[in-house]
Amino acid sequence: MPMLRFRPAARSDRGLVRANNEDSGYASAGLLLVADGVGGNAAGEVASASVAHVVASFVLGSRERQDPVALLSDAVGYAFAHLSDGVRRDPARAGMATTLTALLADGDGFTLAHVGDSRGYLLRGPVLRQLTRDDTLVQELIDEGRITRQDVASHPYRSVVVRSVAAESPPVVSIVRVELEPGDRVLLCSDGLTDLVPDDLIVRLLDDGSPTTAAQRLVDAALAAGGRDNVTCIVGDVDDGNPHVRNGHLVGAHQNPVNLIDPAAALAYSLERGATVE
């Protein structure tokens, strides 16, 4: 069976209201990732950038044919420890937290890790399918039948995230294998897109042009709708090829080394675990 990879693009914007960008994104042949600093908490840009850096470093340091579920689980576990260390170094960061949605191509298939309210979507033909479940209070209320999806936009607690990667306690992260095939297009995005742009427009823009064109048009649509939050869109086409490529594209807070708790720690730790870099 041929190996499959992503042909990726990444775009991020601070929006029209926020003073800084607390979103982080990463896109490579083997990994797509978005992390969104949880609103209202301290140092959201540090949390998102550092967690994105940890996960990308673990993938960079991984061996081919390494168990992808174990790899992502280890990365998230270290990300929690990394944030905890960041708070010990600087107590002003107490409370920092981030969402995480990451999609890994390992040569044998694809694995999705998710916590928070950033989202992952699959576009196959004309059909858009959400791959993730929002870890939010309003989603819990929907699941319990106490509100409908039509109530979400006006709900006073619509922005409350009930799970995240934070410094205080080990995160509860969903890690599952997903079935993707050549010709599929995937989208990972922060809620700066989905809170403002309806699904029917997301489908039209996502299905138009190259991954680069689609990612930019999605960001532009969020800005045109008011841009009240940071917005990050990571788009990847599934195609034949080697996913074990040692470079990628950073966007948002992940671009600025000042936002990283310890730029060397994650890669060093991943290498200590016995991984090899080609």
Side-chain angles (χ1 to χ4, degrees), residues 40-57:
N41 288 355
E45 68 280 3
V46 174
S48 73
S50 296
V51 168
H53 179 68
V54 166
V55 176
S57 295

Side-chain angles (χ1 to χ4, degrees), residues 215-266:
Q216 186 61 60
R217 287 178 175 171
L218 288 165
V219 169
D220 289 345
L223 299 179
R228 64 173 182 260
D229 198 357
N230 311 143
V231 56
T232 299
C233 296
I234 313 295
V235 177
D237 283 346
V238 178
D239 200 357
D240 294 338
N242 183 4
H244 302 289
V245 176
R246 307 302 188 185
N247 64 336
H249 183 51
L250 316 179
V251 294
H254 196 186
Q255 287 183 305
N256 189 346
V258 171
N259 292 325
L260 301 178
I261 293 169
D262 187 339

Side-chain angles (χ1 to χ4, degrees), residues 10 47 60 75 94 123 140 159 183 221 243-244 256 271:
L60 174 68
L123 181 67
E140 291 185 347
S159 299
H244 302 289
N256 189 346
L271 295 176

Side-chain angles (χ1 to χ4, degrees), residues 19 23 26 30 72 78 103 106 128-129 132 140 145 151 160 225 260:
D23 285 2
Y26 180 82
L72 288 173
Y78 183 78
L103 189 56
D106 59 77
L128 184 71
R129 179 165 67 92
T132 55
E140 291 185 347
D151 298 324
V160 174
L260 301 178

